[in-house]
Amino acid sequence: MVAKVGFEFPRDNSQQWDGFNEPGMEHFAGSPFRSLGREGTQNALDAAISSPVAISVRLVEVPTISVPSVDELRSALELCVAESHAEGEKAKQFFETALDLLGKSKISVLQFSDSNTSGVKGPCELGYPYFALMKATGQSKKESGTATGSFGIGKFAPFTVSGLRTIFLSTRWSDESGAMHHYVQGKAILMSHRSGGATYRGTGFWGIRKNCQPLVGNLDELPAWLHCNGHEVGSTGTTLSILGFMANKGWERILAASIGESFFGAICRGELTLTIEGGPVLNAGTLPDFFADKDILNAIKDQKEEPETFQNSGHFLRALSSTESKVEETQNASLGHCRLHILVGEGLPKRVAVLRNGMLITSELARLRRFGEFKEFVAVLECLSDKGNALLRAMEPPPHNDFEPDRLPTLQQQRAGRVALRELAEWVRQMLQRHAQDPIAEVSEIDELAEFFGDDEEGSGSKEKNGDENPRGALKIRARPLPKKKSAASDSQEDHSQDDNLPGDDGDDGDDTGDGDGDEGGSGGSSGSNESTGGDATKGGDGGAGSSKNHVSTLALQNVRAVVLSPARRRISFTPEVGGQVKVTLEDSGADTNRILKITSASVGVVANGDLSIQCNMNQRLTVDVELDRVFEGTIKVKAHAV
């Protein structure tokens, strides 16, 4: 007679097959220890009932025979070995190694416990957190709409560090009446296997066999390591036991680094503590020294994106905790109350970290990646409203490392998400301009290079000469026009090409638009990182003022420069070769074609239909700040026509 309690791999009558490569596990296979730290801590914080949530981690060796129903687990592994030839060498090696682990007298178990949490609330029925964690696929049941986890994928992370792909969960939780419940259940994710002509599912459960339910109540016969360790009698909380833990060298420091760099916000505010037996202890007091620990840096140096991610988190912690940080706040229409901490100082990485509920989401938010025009700084951005955090959570992908508005369910919500992120990024840049803008210093002359770059004109050191400031430094660059190219035509033809009133010349050989994109011209522009390039705007050429098609005269501009003031603002400077009323048009300089950039406002002149009309004086430098109709980070082309 089969016992009522044991490992149960449900019989499969649907002729399906669970292969070895479980997608949920493969999602975390590249960084298993970092994933374990991040996902396990998310689950604990999402179940918080008081502060701080206390996480304790320990590695123990237990007698193999103490693993509940270990013989049944061994039999399932043997059946998987027989099927693994069709799955590939990776599967075959795994199951053979797993059997070797169970053949030893002792087995390693990593235990991840939390307290000051609600536990994983049951019952084990659809719609409850316990069922979502242990039985459901692709489902997350968190009590808060702003919980750090949301996809139900993180539950697979512990299996990636188990040499048996097997875990046991022990949790205490209380119902609405205050009655305490204690559940214990095991779960193994192997692969489909066959026995006696029947096929069995790859995922099996230890507990009450009927309907694969957890063991409830009378747990005295279970080994001590399966109880909720470290929990006071009558308290709630959870212990996750990972069987056959694959302990790499330095795993304690790698795990601590994962938790510290992801949850420094929660730790420094006293919302989370971590104790690893024989390893680091993280709390608000120890966190600064933790990020300076060379042993941690040495342990994680071979991990993906390390040690840069760890070091950057240390800088973000300084921005949150330093009295030298500048704090700004705003009310975003969709996200509500938002706060920004800015710390300026040498050696800082010019990054903006976005936290949600104390967890680092990203430091690569769109429109907040390049900061060439700023001093070295770090900043930490947080949304402080439940409404805003719920919106941000809904835009996060499964790794919780970005915000993607297209994940929102309706087009209207997607548009609102895009607008919220854009407005937030623009506000952050405005605050960085206020506190971290790299000022343009006084003009300096470089006399040491005078013999190589001498000025042919009188008074080369005079302030009356046209020049422009390098937006990155304290130098004044005096750009000189390149010599005009010789035309292949005769001298008489060259003279005629400059005659605006030549009869019969309708400009058909030129550009119909009259923009003169010929070899003699260039464009003023700027990149989103504030690296500017200058040059002459094109002369009229064949498509100039003599064209009967457009009847406008394209003007030559010298020393064209466009400096980034914000993602949608530029400071345009140029020197016209002639005077009079001029219409200025801006374009983005694309790889295949240029698109008009409409001007919505300007510091001088008149704006109409996206263009700027302005009075110019011949050979007199002109500077104007313009607002664009859209955010743009590429190179800008400046064109001028006589009105």
Side-chain angles (χ1 to χ4, degrees):
M1 181 177 177
V2 178
K4 292 182 179 180
V5 175
F7 268 103
E8 180 73 16
F9 290 84
R11 186 167 179 166
D12 186 355
N13 296 318
S14 62
Q15 294 186 337
Q16 297 184 79
W17 190 263
D18 300 327
F20 177 74
N21 297 312
E22 161 59 47
M25 293 177 61
E26 291 297 322
H27 182 80
F28 301 108
S31 303
F33 289 97
R34 292 179 65 188
S35 299
L36 174 65
R38 188 170 171 91
E39 301 298 331
T41 305
Q42 276 185 191
N43 289 337
L45 285 174
D46 289 343
I49 56 175
S50 62
S51 290
V53 169
I55 294 176
S56 62
V57 181
R58 68 169 188 162
L59 181 62
V60 296
E61 282 197 341
V62 303
T64 304
I65 196 173
S66 70
V67 175
S69 307
V70 64
D71 291 337
E72 294 178 359
L73 178 60
R74 183 182 291 108
S75 297
L77 289 169
E78 289 172 346
L79 293 173
C80 289
V81 169
E83 303 287 354
S84 63
H85 65 277
E87 296 287 326
E89 187 63 24
K90 178 181 175 181
K92 181 174 180 294
Q93 289 182 358
F94 172 83
F95 288 116
E96 289 177 349
T97 302
L99 283 173
D100 289 341
L101 286 176
L102 289 185
K104 297 178 180 180
S105 61
K106 290 188 176 183
I107 190 168
S108 297
V109 179
L110 182 75
Q111 295 195 304
F112 199 100
S113 300
D114 62 59
S115 56
N116 291 335
T117 65
S118 63
V120 187
K121 289 191 173 184
C124 185
E125 297 174 4
L126 181 63
Y128 291 88
Y130 186 91
F131 184 90
L133 178 65
M134 293 297 287
K135 304 286 287 293
T137 300
Q139 185 185 76
S140 176
K141 282 290 181 182
K142 302 295 177 73
E143 296 186 351
S144 169
T146 61
T148 51
S150 58
F151 285 88
I153 297 177
K155 69 186 75 173
F156 291 98
F159 293 91
T160 63
V161 294
S162 167
L164 300 173
R165 284 189 169 188
T166 301
I167 60 96
F168 277 82
L169 185 79
S170 178
T171 185
R172 288 197 183 108
W173 58 277
S174 62
D175 59 26
E176 295 179 355
S177 67
M180 190 71 66
H181 303 267
H182 189 179
Y183 284 2
V184 176
Q185 189 169 26
K187 184 176 181 178
I189 301 178
L190 307 179
M191 61 173 285
S192 290
H193 46 277
R194 290 174 289 194
S195 177
T199 300
Y200 296 89
R201 299 297 302 267
T203 298
F205 299 88
W206 180 89
I208 298 175
R209 293 182 186 276
K210 185 177 181 181
N211 298 325
C212 296
Q213 292 292 299
L215 197 62
V216 179
N218 185 14
L219 307 176
D220 294 338
E221 296 182 2
L222 294 178
W225 60 268
L226 263 181
H227 292 194
C228 281
N229 295 297
H231 297 159
E232 297 180 1
V233 176
S235 65
T236 57
T238 300
T239 295
L240 177 71
S241 299
I242 303 172
L243 269 61
F245 177 66
M246 298 182 290
N248 290 353
K249 182 180 180 181
W251 69 268
E252 303 98 326
R253 295 182 175 88
I254 296 173
L255 184 62
S258 169
I259 295 174
E261 69 188 20
S262 294
F263 298 95
F264 60 87
I267 296 172
C268 79
R269 289 170 178 157
E271 298 168 359
L272 174 68
T273 65
L274 169 69
T275 302
I276 299 181
E277 191 173 288
V281 174
L282 297 186
N283 54 48
T286 64
L287 200 57
D289 291 337
F290 173 74
F291 280 109
D293 192 332
K294 293 183 179 179
D295 290 337
I296 300 292
L297 290 172
N298 187 58
I300 65 176
K301 63 183 179 181
D302 294 328
Q303 299 291 310
K304 184 180 179 181
E305 299 176 352
E306 296 292 8
E308 290 80 11
T309 301
F310 182 78
Q311 292 171 323
N312 286 342
S313 289
H315 295 313
F316 298 143
L317 173 66
R318 287 179 55 200
L320 276 181
S321 57
S322 174
T323 57
E324 297 178 3
S325 296
K326 305 298 182 183
V327 181
E328 297 284 356
E329 299 187 1
T330 189
Q331 286 289 336
N332 184 280
S334 297
L335 298 175
H337 188 193
C338 297
R339 179 180 295 159
L340 180 68
H341 297 255
I342 302 173
L343 178 64
V344 178
E346 294 184 2
L348 298 178
K350 291 188 179 183
R351 286 180 178 267
V352 178
V354 183
L355 305 189
R356 184 174 65 78
N357 289 352
M359 179 175 70
L360 174 64
I361 301 299
T362 181
S363 60
E364 293 285 341
L365 189 65
R367 300 183 181 90
L368 292 177
R369 296 172 182 167
R370 294 189 293 272
F371 302 98
E373 71 269 35
F374 296 113
K375 300 175 183 178
E376 293 176 326
F377 75 92
V378 286
V380 177
L381 175 63
E382 294 182 279
C383 177
L384 303 180
S385 76
D386 288 344
K387 173 186 174 183
N389 278 316
L391 176 60
L392 291 174
R393 177 181 183 247
M395 290 191 286
E396 292 172 19
H400 299 284
N401 60 359
D402 200 359
F403 299 107
E404 300 171 348
D406 286 348
R407 291 183 175 274
L408 297 172
T410 69
L411 292 176
Q412 183 178 1
Q413 290 174 318
Q414 292 171 14
R415 284 193 296 270
R418 293 189 188 95
V419 170
L421 294 178
R422 173 175 56 79
E423 291 179 345
L424 194 62
E426 290 176 353
W427 174 75
V428 170
R429 281 195 172 271
Q430 290 171 5
M431 296 305 99
L432 290 174
Q433 288 170 359
R434 177 180 298 178
H435 299 291
Q437 183 77 52
D438 197 3
I440 300 176
E442 305 237 345
V443 175
S444 299
E445 302 288 345
I446 308 179
D447 296 332
E448 293 84 350
L449 302 179
E451 62 178 298
F452 301 105
F453 300 97
D455 205 325
D456 294 336
E457 301 180 17
E458 294 292 334
S460 60
S462 172
K463 292 183 179 180
E464 296 177 358
K465 287 188 60 64
N466 294 322
D468 205 359
E469 292 177 349
N470 182 345
R472 285 187 178 276
L475 306 179
K476 188 159 187 176
I477 301 172
R478 300 189 181 279
R480 300 183 62 216
L482 295 173
K484 294 181 174 61
K485 294 185 179 181
K486 293 281 187 180
S487 171
S490 64
D491 291 343
S492 61
Q493 288 175 314
E494 290 181 13
D495 291 339
H496 287 310
S497 68
Q498 302 301 323
D499 188 351
D500 290 343
N501 299 304
L502 196 76
D505 184 5
D506 61 2
D508 287 342
D509 292 336
D511 186 342
D512 289 346
T513 63
D515 63 8
D517 282 337
D519 293 335
E520 290 186 21
S523 63
S526 67
S527 71
S529 60
N530 202 29
E531 295 178 0
S532 301
T533 60
D536 297 344
T538 57
K539 293 187 177 181
D542 293 328
S547 172
S548 62
K549 294 183 178 181
N550 45 42
H551 301 290
V552 293
S553 176
T554 305
L555 302 182
L557 306 179
Q558 306 293 340
N559 277 354
V560 180
R561 184 172 297 278
V563 178
V564 176
L565 300 179
S566 75
R569 295 181 66 238
R570 296 291 191 278
R571 175 164 293 158
I572 307 297
S573 301
F574 58 85
T575 304
E577 290 188 350
V578 297
Q581 193 73 14
V582 171
K583 182 174 75 172
V584 176
T585 302
L586 303 183
E587 296 181 357
D588 64 349
S589 186
D592 300 318
T593 183
N594 298 336
R595 295 185 301 166
I596 295 294
L597 285 169
K598 291 185 178 181
I599 301 172
T600 59
S601 64
S603 57
V604 294
V606 177
V607 175
N609 298 323
D611 298 330
L612 171 66
S613 294
I614 191 168
Q615 183 69 32
C616 299
N617 296 323
M618 182 175 62
N619 294 328
Q620 182 173 325
R621 190 72 171 162
L622 182 68
T623 298
V624 55
D625 293 351
V626 299
E627 185 86 22
L628 306 178
D629 68 334
R630 58 188 169 94
V631 172
F632 177 69
E633 297 183 350
T635 302
I636 284 181
K637 188 167 189 175
V638 180
K639 296 182 179 181
H641 303 281
V643 178

